[in-house]
Amino acid sequence: MSSPDGLVNERDCVFETPVASQSRKRVHGSVTNFGSHKRRRVSTASVDLGSELDLNNTAGPSAPAPTSADRFISSRPKLFLPLEITPRTRRISKQFGLIDDRVLNFKDDTDIFTTTLQEDSNPNTSTVSLIRRSASSLFNTPPTLRPTSVTENLNKRRHCLMVLDSPGVSLDPDAFAISWSLRNLIAVACKDDVYYQNLETRSVSQLCSASSLPGKLGVIQWGDEKHDNYLALGMSKGTVQMWDAGAGGKGTAIHTWNPRKDGGARSLAWNHDLLTIGMGNGDIVLTDIRSARNTEVIEKHKAHVLGLQWSADHNYLASSDKSGAIHIWDRRVGKSLLDFGQPITKMRHKAPVKALAWCPWKPDLLATGSTAPEGKIKIWSTSLMSPQLPEPTHTIPLNTTVLSLHWSPHCKELLSTHGPSFMPLLSTRHRSLPSSSNTPTTSRPGTPTNDTRTNNPNPTNPDINNNNNNNTTKLTYTKTPLTNSITVHEYPSCKRLMTLTNAHNSHITHSCLSPNGESIFTVCPREEAIKMWQVWSTRRPPPKRESAFDKFVIR
């Protein structure tokens, strides 16, 4: 039926099929016990689906709750059976990489109250934390292996490669009893004799005997690349003698110097034709071996010159003495690096300095190490040095005697050898308090104290000279992992990469680096033995890139 205005009434479009009450069919009972009946047919042409489904009302109570599920990560069911129940399923899941943490575990936190309580108790269970942990695992790459580093060499094989007997080695910690030549000859000073071994042929020969020279033999040093078969030795009475090892066997004496009668020769260093001698009275004697009379004396140190070292570019000479003063001499201008027409400012330690080492791959870096009572390693840079107040670029406190230093030519690492360890000294205010010699020294609870002596770097050997000038300072010696150890530090972080504890049973008084820069020899006078250790390895050459000429041949 149509309305007067020509429109069809919505109510008239719905019809209901009449049901005859007299001819009703008999219907069998269904399982649900409901009677069958016909429903009315509704025309969908005129039904407003928007009002029925309420599509426009998104803020009403019937709106679906937003979910935080990620469409790229499927939501796992609450009852999730693991894949590795049986050996077979575990093998299959392992083959497809679906074991444990390798499967992304997404959590749908639609239950706000439950999720909030769980996040408050354990924040790692939140969805964001799980996704972040899953993503961060993709970027956690394993550390790159450095085949040249000590971590891949001595740190994995903590044993020496060779042990050589050296009876009669000097007990003086300031002595230089061993030296390694560029011809792979290791020389050892045993009492008044010098023996050397060819490490390629393993033949042992006696180079010379210093029994006819006055004093005791305290220092030996092979020549550099220009005179690799020359060996200089210094006596405690000041005599310096040079020998030629030749092709092997007993050597030949070339020349003898008597630069000073007082103090003796305490250190030696070569720079081509120039032989540098550090004397016990503080003088540094520069001698040209081509002309014995052509000598020059530098009088700047006030104590025994314990260390001498030329830089890799042969331009700078570093010297150190028993008072802790350090000088750097510029060979090109003939004066100290800190001499600018004013009183020379010294680079200082608060203890004697014997260990010196110039960096081979950065010639402006100098490493110095002090003994008791300081026990520190300082790294100086000649390019960053101020004449008013020279300060080191890095300082490594160890509270252990440092007796030798070596830079690695293959990687950025610094090796140090040590003697006894000690407790750090108190401040000046505490040291100035009066103390009686009858009052026993007490240590902190739990501190393994070995001995307490006055200024003795070797508490088990009273014959070694004192290295400290202040006779009122008492040191408490103790046992630490650095005692009598070989330690390697990383540069520039100064992080300790390896500590070979108790490399010897007593103090490592000196060490020398091999010509290829891979191994070191360490000497322990108490053991009367020297040991060889492989610390680093040579950098392998890069793989050769294949070119077109390797594949094709031009005919």
Side-chain angles (χ1 to χ4, degrees):
M1 181 181 294
S2 60
S3 59
D5 52 359
L7 299 177
V8 180
N9 191 359
E10 179 181 355
R11 184 177 304 175
D12 297 334
C13 294
V14 180
F15 297 94
E16 184 175 351
T17 306
V19 180
S21 59
Q22 296 179 357
S23 62
R24 185 174 181 178
K25 291 183 180 181
R26 183 177 179 181
V27 181
H28 297 281
S30 63
V31 178
T32 57
N33 202 17
F34 286 104
S36 175
H37 62 277
K38 293 184 178 181
R39 298 181 181 180
R40 62 175 182 176
R41 291 177 294 179
V42 181
S43 175
T44 58
S46 60
V47 177
D48 189 4
L49 296 178
S51 60
E52 294 290 337
L53 300 178
D54 198 9
L55 297 178
N56 297 326
N57 187 12
T58 59
S62 61
T67 178
S68 60
D70 197 326
R71 58 176 179 150
F72 298 106
I73 304 176
S74 59
S75 179
R76 304 176 70 179
K78 295 182 179 180
L79 290 178
F80 181 76
L81 296 179
L83 298 175
E84 59 273 13
I85 296 179
T86 63
R88 184 186 178 199
T89 56
R90 181 175 181 84
R91 184 171 63 254
I92 295 175
S93 58
K94 183 178 180 180
Q95 183 178 2
F96 287 93
L98 301 176
I99 293 182
D100 301 333
D101 295 337
R102 300 185 64 179
V103 181
L104 294 177
N105 188 7
F106 178 79
K107 178 191 171 189
D108 191 2
D109 49 356
T110 54
D111 192 352
I112 302 176
F113 299 100
T114 306
T115 306
T116 305
L117 294 176
Q118 292 179 356
E119 289 182 2
D120 293 339
S121 59
N122 188 5
N124 294 329
T125 60
S126 62
T127 304
V128 179
S129 300
L130 291 174
I131 296 177
R132 184 183 294 110
R133 282 191 302 167
S134 301
S136 62
S137 62
L138 302 176
F139 300 96
N140 291 335
T141 57
T144 57
L145 298 179
R146 297 182 298 171
T148 60
S149 174
V150 69
T151 57
E152 299 296 326
N153 294 276
L154 185 58
N155 194 30
K156 291 186 175 180
R157 299 177 294 273
R158 292 173 170 253
H159 57 82
C160 58
L161 303 179
M162 184 187 304
V163 180
L164 301 177
D165 294 331
S166 55
V169 178
S170 177
L171 295 175
D172 188 0
D174 298 334
F176 295 84
I178 59 176
S179 182
W180 204 335
S181 74
L182 297 179
R183 297 169 54 192
N184 208 14
L185 306 177
I186 181 69
V188 186
C190 302
K191 293 185 178 180
D192 294 332
D193 299 326
V194 178
Y195 297 90
Y196 70 94
Q197 181 180 16
N198 191 331
L199 297 179
E200 296 177 357
T201 62
R202 300 300 175 91
S203 61
V204 180
S205 305
Q206 182 183 7
L207 178 63
C208 62
S209 176
S211 57
S212 60
L213 300 177
K216 296 181 180 181
L217 180 60
V219 52
I220 59 175
Q221 184 65 43
W222 285 105
D224 55 6
E225 59 272 8
K226 190 173 183 179
H227 303 286
D228 55 358
N229 59 332
Y230 285 4
L231 183 136
L233 54 91
M235 308 298 294
S236 60
K237 296 295 184 180
T239 304
V240 178
Q241 199 170 48
M242 186 171 63
W243 289 77
D244 186 0
K250 194 173 181 61
T252 304
I254 298 179
H255 196 78
T256 303
W257 294 275
N258 294 295
R260 287 290 187 275
K261 296 294 182 181
D262 51 344
R266 307 303 297 265
S267 56
L268 298 171
W270 287 83
N271 188 358
H272 298 323
D273 295 325
L274 192 63
L275 177 61
T276 311
I277 307 170
M279 306 302 298
N281 61 352
D283 294 345
I284 299 176
V285 181
L286 306 176
T287 303
D288 193 338
I289 63 174
R290 297 170 297 181
S291 176
R293 296 181 181 180
N294 188 10
T295 60
E296 183 181 355
V297 180
I298 302 175
E299 300 177 352
K300 292 295 183 183
H301 287 279
K302 306 300 180 183
H304 300 340
V305 180
L306 298 180
L308 287 175
Q309 190 73 244
W310 283 96
S311 61
D313 55 4
H314 303 282
N315 291 328
Y316 297 103
L317 172 66
S319 60
S320 60
D321 60 19
K322 202 166 187 176
S323 65
I326 302 169
H327 287 283
I328 298 180
W329 311 94
D330 193 343
R331 180 187 179 186
R332 296 164 295 183
V333 297
K335 62 180 182 179
S336 175
L337 195 63
L338 299 176
D339 189 3
F340 291 91
Q342 51 186 341
I344 300 178
T345 305
K346 299 178 183 179
M347 303 157 54
R348 275 203 166 278
H349 280 267
K350 296 181 180 179
V353 177
K354 175 192 174 184
L356 299 174
W358 286 97
C359 183
W361 37 266
K362 201 172 187 304
D364 63 318
L365 290 182
L366 172 66
T368 61
S370 61
T371 61
E374 185 185 54
K376 292 182 180 180
I377 296 177
K378 294 184 178 181
I379 301 177
W380 315 79
S381 176
T382 57
S383 59
L384 302 177
M385 195 168 296
S386 172
Q388 289 78 17
L389 186 62
E391 291 292 337
T393 58
H394 300 84
T395 301
I396 308 175
L398 301 173
N399 295 325
T400 306
T401 300
V402 183
L403 295 174
S404 64
L405 292 170
H406 298 286
W407 288 96
S408 170
H410 308 296
C411 53
K412 294 183 178 181
E413 295 176 2
L414 175 65
L415 180 142
S416 59
T417 61
H418 303 281
S421 302
F422 45 85
M423 300 295 294
L425 291 176
L426 300 177
S427 61
T428 308
R429 179 185 60 181
H430 292 85
R431 289 203 307 265
S432 61
L433 296 177
S435 60
S436 174
S437 59
N438 298 328
T439 304
T441 303
T442 59
S443 60
R444 295 178 297 179
T447 303
T449 304
N450 290 344
D451 194 5
T452 303
R453 295 177 185 265
T454 303
N455 304 326
N456 190 3
N458 187 354
T460 62
N461 181 19
D463 298 332
I464 294 182
N465 298 330
N466 287 337
N467 285 337
N468 189 13
N469 297 326
N470 185 6
N471 294 328
T472 61
T473 303
K474 291 185 178 181
L475 288 179
T476 303
Y477 289 89
T478 181
K479 188 76 171 180
T480 66
L482 293 177
T483 304
N484 308 327
S485 69
I486 300 174
T487 306
V488 179
H489 315 268
E490 187 183 29
Y491 181 84
S493 65
C494 298
K495 180 178 66 175
R496 194 177 305 167
L497 297 178
M498 186 218 65
T499 300
L500 187 60
T501 305
N502 294 327
H504 289 269
N505 294 330
S506 187
H507 316 325
I508 304 176
T509 58
H510 187 53
S511 64
C512 51
L513 189 64
S514 62
N516 58 7
E518 295 184 1
S519 306
I520 64 167
F521 258 112
T522 56
V523 58
C524 178
R526 281 295 170 184
E527 292 181 352
E528 293 187 346
I530 61 176
K531 296 181 180 181
M532 179 181 176
W533 314 82
Q534 183 178 357
V535 185
W536 300 292
S537 60
T538 307
R539 188 182 300 275
R540 297 178 182 178
K544 183 180 179 181
R545 298 182 60 182
E546 188 177 8
S547 63
F549 296 100
D550 297 333
K551 297 181 179 180
F552 306 99
V553 178
I554 301 176
R555 294 182 298 176

